[in-house]
């Protein structure tokens, strides 16, 4: 099992398994996209993402965020399984045997190649038990309705289950900034549920990411 300590302290080195020109293959005649193993890929237009958000809002109202979060957890569980399987096949060893440099670079390249934006892990608060995640140029929150609350519920669910399975601990994920409300990127914090409880109220009160993290640092 990958340890949290290793995950947060190792450096990163370039990798190319998920490089777009090698990973994504397609046929313009057939209109098909596949990855390098022959698994089907799906291209989703922005208009469809916008329709999903508006449709959920119309059908479920305030529960739309919860629906997206649960979809994200399901998606993240399957994404983690495929991610581990592909890397294990490529490196001929289980994910737990890979260096953290190889793992982190693979995750960043995989996220980018699938068109989900650019992901970066923030280890600033690792000694206090928190892992920060930044996602830049997210197509999901770009398509979400603009408002005063974070709209990255889908990504929050993906990150929560992905890192819970990776570390073997039941982590929770909270969003502290969002491009849908005018922030420069989507920021998330992963940690134990009890320690993340203040985040929702702080976000609702308009606290910025750094102020929220300072509050979390002051907890006993």
């Amino acid at each position: 099992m990958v340890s949290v300590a290793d995950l947060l302290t190792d450096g990163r080195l370039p990798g190319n398994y998920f490089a777009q020109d090698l990973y994504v293959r397609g046929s313009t005649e057939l209109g098909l996209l596949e990855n390098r193993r022959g698994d089907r890929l799906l291209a989703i237009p922005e208009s469809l993402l916008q329709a999903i958000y508006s449709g959920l809002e119309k059908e479920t109202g305030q529960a739309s965020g919860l629906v997206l979060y649960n979809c994200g957890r399901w998606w993240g569980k399957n994404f983690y399984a495929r991610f581990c399987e592909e890397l294990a096949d490529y490196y001929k060893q289980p994910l737990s045997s890979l260096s953290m440099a190889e793992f982190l670079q693979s995750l960043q390249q995989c996220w980018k190649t699938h068109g989900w934006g650019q992901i970066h892990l923030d280890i600033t608060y690792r000694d206090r038990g928190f892992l920060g995640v930044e996602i830049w140029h997210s197509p999901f929150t770009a398509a979400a309705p603009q408002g005063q609350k974070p709209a990255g519920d889908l990504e929050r669910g993906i990150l929560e289950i992905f890192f819970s399975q990776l570390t073997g601990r039941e982590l929770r994920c909270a969003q502290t900034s969002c491009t849908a409300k005018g922030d420069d990127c989507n920021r998330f914090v992963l940690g134990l549920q009890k320690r993340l409880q203040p985040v929702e109220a702080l976000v609702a009160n308009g606290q910025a990411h750094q102020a929220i993290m300072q509050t979390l640092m002051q907890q006993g």
Side-chain angles (χ1 to χ4, degrees), residues 33-92:
L33 286 176
E34 297 178 341
N35 65 15
R36 61 193 301 171
R37 298 198 313 168
D39 300 327
R40 292 285 297 275
L41 298 175
L42 177 66
I44 300 177
E46 183 180 3
S47 57
L48 177 56
L49 285 177
Q50 293 171 339
I52 290 173
Y53 280 107
S54 61
L56 282 175
E57 183 69 26
K58 180 178 180 180
E59 295 296 328
T60 64
Q62 294 183 348
S64 60
L66 179 60
V67 173
L68 288 167
Y69 164 74
N70 286 325
C71 287
R73 282 182 59 89
W74 178 86
W75 187 356
K77 182 179 180 180
N78 288 278
F79 169 57
Y80 176 77
R82 292 193 305 271
F83 182 77
C84 291
E85 182 180 343
E86 289 189 60
L87 288 184
D89 287 347
Y90 182 69
Y91 288 105
K92 306 303 180 185

